Amino acid sequence: MLNELAEYEAAHLLPNWATEKNQLQTRWTSDLAEASIRQLLKQFSGAVTIKDFVKSRKYEWDEAFYIPNTSDTTHALQVVHNFIERQGTELVGGLVMRKFIELKSLGEHPKSHTPIFEEYRVFYLNSSPLVLINYWRAEKLTLSPADQKLIQVAQKQIPSNFCTIDFARTASGQLIIMEMGDGQVSGLQGYDESTFYKLLRKNLDLDL
């Protein structure tokens, strides 16, 4: 293991990192009673997305992830309850609600037909970027100096030896932090496993 439990939770559970690194309006609750959910909805206007402290159901976009208007309480509650029911025993921590902002579209997912956007996943080892993954393996895209600076420094205040940060491009062109995770359980999104572990071994200086 590269991380102890406290380091794992620092990066992987959203409430532990959102106050420091969050670039989207975000609120959460561990109380899943309807009154608590209604109170959460009242803190937003317009569109939001929902997830638990770790996972979303973004491939069920309309049914259990995206709420187009929080003022439509009936529809919003239906989406939230769908999410809670479908997560079942896998629901972690509670409910997270985040303001939805327009991102640079790359079209639709070929299987689920849900929207996909320009996104990158960066693995960090000992506070330095180890691997940058083009999340949807779209055509090669150029990162500006401002993008590269953000990627270089984004992990500095997170107390984790090995974590991931997912970045997304807004419709206006800005790269922002969307999610964080523990590097030990984050997916490679199609990146070559052999190359990844060779880089990890080299940077850990392990004789394996």
Side-chain angles (χ1 to χ4, degrees):
M1 301 292 287
L2 297 181
N3 284 335
E4 296 180 355
L5 178 60
E7 294 168 321
Y8 168 86
E9 292 182 339
H12 212 61
L13 300 182
L14 184 144
N16 291 342
W17 60 260
T19 54
E20 293 291 333
K21 294 292 186 179
N22 191 36
Q23 294 182 274
L24 302 176
Q25 180 189 358
T26 304
R27 301 289 185 270
W28 58 84
T29 180
S30 297
D31 181 1
L32 300 182
E34 186 156 316
S36 180
I37 296 170
R38 286 177 178 270
Q39 188 60 40
L40 207 59
L41 287 166
K42 289 180 181 179
Q43 298 179 58
F44 293 86
S45 62
V48 298
T49 60
I50 57 173
K51 58 176 290 179
D52 64 20
F53 287 8
V54 176
K55 292 283 188 179
S56 73
R57 302 187 73 89
K58 64 183 179 181
Y59 295 117
E60 300 167 50
W61 185 275
D62 293 319
E63 294 83 12
F65 176 67
Y66 176 69
I67 297 172
N69 189 349
T70 53
S71 65
D72 184 350
T73 307
T74 300
H75 180 258
L77 288 172
Q78 183 61 60
V79 174
V80 171
H81 288 310
N82 285 346
F83 171 77
I84 293 171
E85 291 170 8
R86 295 177 188 186
Q87 284 295 87
T89 58
E90 295 183 358
L91 190 144
V92 177
L95 180 70
V96 174
M97 201 165 288
R98 310 187 78 194
K99 181 177 179 62
F100 178 79
I101 62 172
E102 292 295 330
L103 301 175
K104 183 179 177 181
S105 175
L106 296 179
E108 294 184 347
H109 189 277
K111 293 183 179 179
S112 66
H113 302 292
T114 54
I116 59 174
F117 308 100
E118 182 181 332
E119 296 179 78
Y120 303 92
R121 171 164 292 173
V122 180
F123 280 81
Y124 291 85
L125 180 66
N126 297 327
S127 298
S128 296
L130 177 72
V131 170
L132 184 148
I133 298 171
N134 189 338
Y135 202 93
W136 297 111
R137 299 181 299 283
E139 66 274 11
K140 185 176 178 63
L141 301 169
T142 302
L143 294 172
S144 71
D147 296 339
Q148 295 176 43
K149 181 178 180 180
L150 173 63
I151 289 169
Q152 284 292 329
V153 304
Q155 195 263 341
K156 297 298 183 183
Q157 297 178 11
I158 303 300
S160 171
N161 293 315
F162 186 46
C163 70
T164 58
I165 299 179
D166 291 347
F167 300 87
R169 181 85 61 194
T170 67
S172 62
Q174 180 186 7
L175 198 67
I176 62 170
I177 294 172
M178 288 297 291
E179 301 282 354
M180 293 192 185
D182 182 77
Q184 300 169 124
V185 296
S186 297
L188 293 177
Q189 293 301 121
Y191 189 86
D192 182 69
E193 294 178 8
S194 177
T195 300
F196 178 83
Y197 284 109
K198 285 178 181 177
L199 284 168
L200 184 61
R201 180 177 64 185
K202 177 182 179 181
N203 283 271
L204 287 171
D205 194 27
L206 295 177
D207 185 16
L208 298 176

